[in-house]
């Protein structure tokens, strides 16, 4: 059977601000006249003042200064018979050409793959469905390759799972296309060795340091996936008390796989996380990319014995002054022990042990 009516143009694509005149012509079999018809756009009836009868069975509608489509699947322009029946429909795609994609950023997990993300440009999606294609090739002698696995790290991302070359730079770019055109990003040049990240450090252990009530020892392993590659690593630690969401970061851990946290609260549960930045892989000069944080590991500091109270003997005034001076001095040492520097931690340990012993002795007298 013939369609009841035909709309022209069918499914047009228009720039924002354009005007459009559409016509609805009813098939002769349906015995409908132009005055029996009306138009809707996205379900809303368009005013009769915008209609013109172009013949006994053809009704046009004029749309001026069109806004961007409300949905990427297009706006529905429908021709109806007087009783509300749908005779024909057309989709209006109203928008802008795609914007040039920007902010391409890539990383390689353990030198096995490559993931890239980008942003869709200043105006975003420009009202029309936009396709993004990530392309890459070896510089100098490569052929263009197209990335296949999209949306792996967010809406604007693509993952290249394997078969990547080391020691040769890649050219990487993103092409955006919609019904109104194509836009191409700037080309990014990168070497896989410069954008390596790794898994979070495994085997994170947090333990007490003897009876020292304001310290915890943290140990971890270096990333096993990179053990066969020449690389340097730097580590970062962050820790927080159990009832707080605020993390404190220890930045200058360097490449050692253990660290002492000092200046903690006695009798308190702490959560600790570690992350790794592998850099200098095979002599790469780039800074490297931080891994995710390890899962939080918890440990508690010992309770302070001094909190229980006790009385100083009368001859203790001189001793108290000495202790206060020592405390000020070692307060300074403690402040500088945050970066896990071994010398100051040894000094600090000796002082804490001495202080605790002398305090116990006085309480037993």
């Amino acid at each position: 059977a013939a369609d009841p009516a035909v709309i022209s143009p069918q499914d047009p694509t228009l720039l924002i601000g354009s005007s459009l005149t559409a016509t609805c012509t009813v098939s002769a079999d349906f015995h409908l006249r132009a005055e029996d018809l009306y138009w809707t756009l996205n379900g809303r009836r368009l005013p009769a003042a915008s209609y013109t009868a172009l013949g006994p069975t053809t009704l046009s509608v004029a749309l001026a200064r069109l806004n961007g489509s409300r949905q990427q699947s297009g706006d529905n322009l429908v021709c109806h018979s007087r009783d509300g029946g749908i005779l024909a429909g057309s989709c209006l795609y109203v928008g802008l050409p795609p914007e040039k994609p920007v902010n391409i950023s890539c990383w390689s997990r353990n030198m096995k793959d490559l993931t890239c993300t980008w942003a869709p440009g200043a105006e975003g999606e420009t009202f029309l469905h936009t396709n993004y294609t990530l392309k890459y090739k070896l510089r100098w002698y490569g052929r263009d390759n197209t990335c296949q696995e999209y949306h792996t790290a967010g809406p604007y991302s693509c993952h290249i799972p394997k078969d990547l070359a080391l020691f040769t730079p890649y050219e990487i770019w993103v092409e955006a296309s919609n019904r109104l055109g194509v836009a191409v990003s700037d080309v990014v040049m990168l070497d896989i060795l410069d954008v390596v990240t790794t898994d979070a450090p495994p085997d994170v252990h947090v333990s007490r340091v003897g009876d020292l009530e304001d310290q915890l020892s943290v140990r971890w392993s270096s990333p096993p996936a990179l053990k066969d590659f020449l690389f340097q690593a730097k580590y970062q630690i962050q820790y927080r008390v159990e009832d707080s969401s605020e993390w404190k970061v220890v930045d200058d851990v360097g490449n050692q796989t253990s660290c002492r946290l000092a200046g903690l609260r006695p009798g308190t549960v702490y959560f600790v996380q570690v992350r790794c930045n592998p850099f200098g892989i095979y002599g790469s000069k780039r800074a490297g990319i931080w891994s995710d944080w390890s899962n939080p590991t918890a440990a508690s500091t010992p309770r302070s014995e001094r909190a229980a109270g006790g009385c100083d003997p009368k001859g203790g005034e001189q001793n108290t002054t000495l202790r206060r001076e020592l405390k000020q001095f070692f307060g300074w040492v403690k402040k500088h022990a945050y970066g896990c520097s071994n010398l100051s931690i040894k000094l600090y340990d000796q002082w804490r042990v001495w202080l605790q012993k002398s305090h116990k002795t006085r309480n037993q007298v």
Side-chain angles (χ1 to χ4, degrees), residues 260-273:
R260 187 80 64 83
L261 302 178
L264 306 178
R265 298 206 309 238
T268 303
V269 174
Y270 282 87
F271 289 104
V272 180
Q273 292 178 293

Side-chain angles (χ1 to χ4, degrees), residues 268-346:
T268 303
V269 174
Y270 282 87
F271 289 104
V272 180
Q273 292 178 293
V274 186
R275 66 177 180 171
C276 173
N277 182 333
F279 68 100
I281 293 179
Y282 291 132
S284 161
K285 299 285 188 285
R286 290 292 180 89
I289 297 171
W290 287 104
S291 73
D292 293 335
W293 290 102
S294 63
N295 290 326
T297 304
S300 65
T301 48
R303 290 195 178 285
S304 169
E305 293 181 23
R306 280 168 295 162
C311 55
D312 272 329
K314 285 199 171 71
E317 278 86 354
Q318 189 182 354
N319 208 357
T320 307
T321 311
L322 177 64
R323 276 175 60 205
R324 192 182 302 120
E325 285 171 1
L326 268 171
K327 209 165 189 175
Q328 283 169 349
F329 171 68
F330 283 108
W332 179 86
V333 171
K334 182 168 71 173
K335 212 156 84 182
H336 289 74
Y338 265 87
C340 311
S341 94
N342 291 332
L343 176 66
S344 43
I345 281 181
K346 277 181 188 153

Side-chain angles (χ1 to χ4, degrees), residues 5 7 22-24 37-46 51 59 61 63 75-81 84-92:
I7 290 181
T23 61
C24 174
L37 311 178
Y38 70 90
W39 292 90
T40 62
L41 182 61
N42 292 330
R44 293 184 63 179
R45 193 163 177 154
L46 293 167
Y51 303 166
L59 183 69
V61 64
L63 302 169
D75 291 336
N76 297 314
L77 181 66
V78 178
C79 174
H80 299 261
S81 58
I86 293 174
L87 301 173
S90 175
C91 282
L92 307 187

Side-chain angles (χ1 to χ4, degrees), residues 51-63:
Y51 303 166
T52 306
L54 297 180
T57 57
T58 301
L59 183 69
S60 74
V61 64
L63 302 169

Side-chain angles (χ1 to χ4, degrees), residues 89-348:
S90 175
C91 282
L92 307 187
Y93 298 95
V94 187
L96 298 167
E99 293 264 323
K100 170 175 149 179
V102 294
N103 300 344
I104 297 176
S105 172
C106 304
W107 63 91
S108 172
R109 203 172 189 82
N110 301 322
M111 294 195 287
K112 290 185 169 65
D113 63 1
L114 191 67
T115 298
C116 296
T117 61
W118 60 91
E123 291 293 329
E125 281 285 6
T126 65
F127 302 99
L128 300 175
H129 175 70
T130 305
N131 275 321
Y132 292 94
T133 308
L134 181 100
K135 295 196 171 176
Y136 61 101
K137 70 179 188 110
L138 283 168
R139 194 178 177 194
W140 301 308
Y141 52 79
R143 60 181 178 79
D144 289 9
N145 296 283
T146 301
C147 183
Q148 303 296 333
E149 298 180 13
Y150 290 87
H151 313 299
T152 52
Y156 305 108
S157 65
C158 198
H159 175 242
I160 304 163
K162 58 182 192 298
D163 300 331
L164 291 158
L166 303 177
F167 306 107
T168 307
Y170 277 93
E171 293 180 2
I172 294 173
W173 67 98
V174 178
E175 295 178 0
S177 62
N178 70 14
R179 291 165 165 269
L180 286 170
V182 177
V184 182
S185 73
D186 293 339
V187 174
V188 169
M189 204 84 67
L190 67 82
D191 192 315
I192 302 295
L193 299 179
D194 292 338
V195 293
V196 178
T197 185
T198 190
D199 307 305
D203 310 322
V204 177
H205 296 285
V206 184
S207 54
R208 294 180 175 185
V209 184
D211 292 333
L212 298 175
E213 75 254 355
D214 59 351
Q215 293 190 29
L216 289 171
S217 171
V218 188
R219 287 180 293 111
W220 59 90
S221 300
S222 62
L226 291 178
K227 70 178 189 301
D228 299 331
F229 300 103
L230 292 169
F231 78 102
Q232 298 163 271
K234 53 186 177 189
Y235 297 95
Q236 236 180 21
I237 294 175
Q238 66 174 9
Y239 64 96
R240 65 175 174 85
V241 296
E242 186 178 25
D243 53 3
S244 165
S245 58
E246 200 174 309
W247 294 91
K248 281 189 177 170
V249 176
V250 182
D251 250 328
D252 48 353
V253 181
N255 66 354
Q256 56 198 2
T257 54
S258 65
C259 178
R260 187 80 64 83
L261 302 178
L264 306 178
R265 298 206 309 238
T268 303
V269 174
Y270 282 87
F271 289 104
V272 180
Q273 292 178 293
V274 186
R275 66 177 180 171
C276 173
N277 182 333
F279 68 100
I281 293 179
Y282 291 132
S284 161
K285 299 285 188 285
R286 290 292 180 89
I289 297 171
W290 287 104
S291 73
D292 293 335
W293 290 102
S294 63
N295 290 326
T297 304
S300 65
T301 48
R303 290 195 178 285
S304 169
E305 293 181 23
R306 280 168 295 162
C311 55
D312 272 329
K314 285 199 171 71
E317 278 86 354
Q318 189 182 354
N319 208 357
T320 307
T321 311
L322 177 64
R323 276 175 60 205
R324 192 182 302 120
E325 285 171 1
L326 268 171
K327 209 165 189 175
Q328 283 169 349
F329 171 68
F330 283 108
W332 179 86
V333 171
K334 182 168 71 173
K335 212 156 84 182
H336 289 74
Y338 265 87
C340 311
S341 94
N342 291 332
L343 176 66
S344 43
I345 281 181
K346 277 181 188 153
L347 279 170
Y348 183 62

